[in-house]
Amino acid sequence: MKKVFFYVIAIAFLYGCGAGKNLTTIDKGPVQVFMDLVNVTNDQVKVIVDPGAFTVGQISFRIPKTVPGTYSADDYGQYIEGLVAYDYSGNPMQVSKLDVNTWNISNATMLDKISYFVNDTYDTENEVEDAVFSPAGTNIEKDSNYMLNLHGFVGYFDGYKEIPYRLIIEKPSGLEAATSLNQVVLDDAIENGDVFMANRYFEIIDNPIFYTKPDKETFKVGGIEVTLSIFSPTGAYRASDLRNRMEGMMSAQKAFLGDIDATKRYNILLYLSTMEDTDARGFGALEHHTSTVVVLPEAIPQDRLEQAMVDVVSHEFFHIVTPLSVHSNEIHYFDYNDPKMSQHLWMYEGTTEYFANLFQVHEGLIEEAEFYERMRTKMDNAKGYDDAMSFTTMSMNILEAPYESNYANVYEKGALINMALDILIREKSNGEKGVLWLMKELSNKYGVDAPFEDDKLIDEIVSITYPEVRDFFNKHVIGNTPIDYSIYLAKMGLTLNEVEEQSGYFLQGEIPYIDVDQSNNDAIFVRKGIELNSFFKGLGVQGGDVIKSINGTAINLESIRPIIGQSFGWGPDTMIKLELERDGEVVTVEGAVGTPTIVVNKITPIEDVSDEIKALRNAWLKG
Ligand SMILES: [Zn+2]
């Protein structure tokens, strides 16, 4: 009882406000935010935002439209309801809603605090079109777990993003926070409340908090303390099940990075979904500077879960290099409701994805052949996007058409741009320098707190490397000339050949030949701009064709799924009849499905290469 008593006092002290508060203006902060995770009904959390006194006549309160790393406009304001502003006498004030994410208060000098309820995203993903990607989403499951991606909960006042925040969270007993946000220990009597401090609003957004019944494993990689926290709905997995693989992988990552030292701690927050209609469906992860939120299905077997964690976390962890240590003003002073996007996705995502593959061959986790195979797969996947689209233009306009639909190419061509650049710098420096060296130079010059100017970065890179690097950027990154990878691979004694490979009928591995057109009643069409397999080509199907029917069955998103399933049982003589719509006309094709193959690239080492080239290749892959 005593503890509770102290707790109430502490909260009252921390959260106390009233007329006297007029003495403290908002300018220095902190903005106090109170979140109640105890009194939760209908998966809604009550949030109170209490700023210092405003001296301006009117103020806008905003919830983010978009956050760093998602590259999509998600309107987190749509999950807010019952917003009320109170004056210092405790009376509700007039609030006008300017858009889905913005509320305007005209008598700002009278404003004491704002109160509202937050709905979570996981249980409505199924119903909403363009649902928030689960790792950026929120979950409110009373007494079980709370995924607090704080951009869904905590707003900011226009013009006051650079002031400190104090976050006070009342939590159910038995649940514990996992986060990289700075926790303040005020009094051991605060048993059911946690207090966190952020130096500015960015830190609030950059540090998700995951409340669960504690299931954590902590280990050291180099000087970094890594904590893995898990929520597994049926208890099928524990953090200890994944610890060894994570520890081995991240130790290898740290060995690869060497002395890049951007953070002292790193949190992996893993949410495993039941995959039911009311649970998370967007699997993968979202990076933050010193943590990552990972969402995966609980039902997959341990070896696949481990592999998914290796693939996802190795990428996210390398984000401690960029953007954490190397980023531009656009990211440092991110505008959550009218974002200016940086030109350098080739680096933020491309370098990160390239390192996530290179470190594995570098540290002996995979063979050279496997590394070549991965780069080759990226070349083939990149064919699904516009190869003649300037990467810097795409990056700056990534929230808009036609750039938005090319976003995923940052993980394919983005990585290959870095491979070619790495090879070029290795060649010019006799193997001594590469992209990792470059990133170390940039991170020494800039670092966590010093953003670069977006349009000066390439000049800077050229100035510390070679004139050929400028040509490379001008042609292939700023310009729209596709890269001839064979030229770069040849410098390393490798050839790029076309070979015929087995394929599925509708999928090559996990990548489908077909897609859904959401703007055309979910029509199923054959993807354009990609290499089709012998099944489609043999029948005379072309990229862009809409599949109207297969063997008389009308095709839509529902009916195509079982047909894809059945196709795994088809033999070469299975007959098929497709009704296609091409340029507004109906075309019918039919014939035997055959044995599907596809022409793909293959990277092979040349047998007799000079010792010089061998040494260069070694420096690239093992240096
Ligand atoms: Zn990334």
Side-chain angles (χ1 to χ4, degrees), residues 243-505:
R243 176 195 164 126
N244 285 351
R245 193 82 188 270
M246 287 292 104
E247 191 173 358
M249 176 195 76
M250 293 176 83
S251 300
Q253 288 190 278
K254 190 67 181 72
F256 170 80
L257 287 177
D259 52 11
I260 288 188
D261 197 13
T263 180
K264 289 281 165 238
R265 59 177 167 168
Y266 193 85
N267 269 278
I268 304 164
L269 312 176
L270 171 61
Y271 179 93
L272 294 173
S273 166
T274 59
M275 287 174 77
E276 281 165 17
D277 279 355
T278 54
D279 206 348
R281 295 288 190 88
F283 304 124
L286 181 67
E287 86 269 18
H288 298 280
H289 284 61
T290 57
S291 60
T292 181
V293 174
V294 186
V295 178
L296 293 168
E298 190 190 43
I300 58 177
Q302 178 154 352
D303 55 342
R304 280 193 57 204
L305 180 63
E306 282 185 9
Q307 193 54 49
M309 286 291 285
V310 165
D311 291 344
V312 162
V313 176
S314 61
H315 174 99
E316 304 307 334
F317 183 63
F318 275 135
H319 277 304
I320 68 170
V321 180
T322 186
L324 174 58
S325 288
V326 185
H327 58 252
S328 69
N329 286 303
E330 282 72 5
I331 290 181
H332 199 79
Y333 302 106
F334 195 82
D335 187 333
Y336 302 90
N337 281 280
D338 186 16
K340 312 287 175 292
M341 305 312 275
S342 162
Q343 303 171 34
H344 302 297
L345 273 174
W346 70 269
M347 180 176 75
Y348 304 129
E349 292 303 335
T351 304
T352 301
E353 178 66 11
Y354 175 60
F355 283 176
N357 289 280
L358 183 65
F359 96 96
Q360 300 194 37
V361 65
H362 195 275
E363 298 302 315
L365 301 184
I366 58 172
E367 298 294 324
E368 288 179 24
E370 167 67 14
F371 176 75
Y372 301 146
E373 176 61 15
R374 290 180 182 202
M375 293 301 110
R376 188 283 294 178
T377 306
K378 289 192 183 299
M379 289 173 200
D380 286 331
N381 293 347
K383 288 180 194 161
Y385 306 95
D386 185 354
D387 201 18
M389 180 179 275
S390 154
F391 240 67
T392 48
T393 306
M394 174 177 102
S395 183
M396 271 187 289
N397 299 289
I398 200 66
L399 298 180
E400 296 151 30
Y403 307 100
E404 193 184 9
S405 58
N406 279 271
Y407 170 69
N409 207 16
V410 300
Y411 305 105
E412 314 293 352
K413 187 178 177 180
L416 296 169
I417 288 172
N418 280 273
M419 181 188 77
L421 180 64
D422 202 13
I423 290 173
L424 182 61
I425 299 175
R426 287 284 177 196
E427 183 197 31
K428 293 288 154 199
S429 65
N430 291 319
E432 262 179 46
K433 297 169 181 173
V435 172
L436 181 59
W437 166 86
L438 174 66
M439 293 313 294
K440 286 184 186 181
E441 291 293 301
L442 293 172
S443 104
N444 286 338
K445 169 151 188 195
Y446 295 101
V448 179
D449 298 314
F452 61 79
E453 274 185 59
D454 211 57
D455 54 6
K456 300 274 164 40
L457 180 71
I458 290 171
D459 290 346
E460 180 113 17
I461 291 172
V462 172
S463 75
I464 56 174
T465 55
Y466 307 94
E468 289 82 355
V469 169
R470 179 178 299 285
D471 299 340
F472 178 84
F473 274 101
N474 281 348
K475 254 194 211 159
H476 304 305
V477 184
I478 301 166
N480 52 18
T481 310
I483 303 172
D484 182 349
Y485 300 110
S486 64
I487 293 175
Y488 293 89
L489 292 169
K491 296 177 194 292
M492 294 295 165
L494 301 167
T495 56
L496 185 62
N497 296 321
E498 289 192 334
V499 294
E500 210 171 342
E501 198 176 71
Q502 271 220 338
S503 165
Y505 290 97

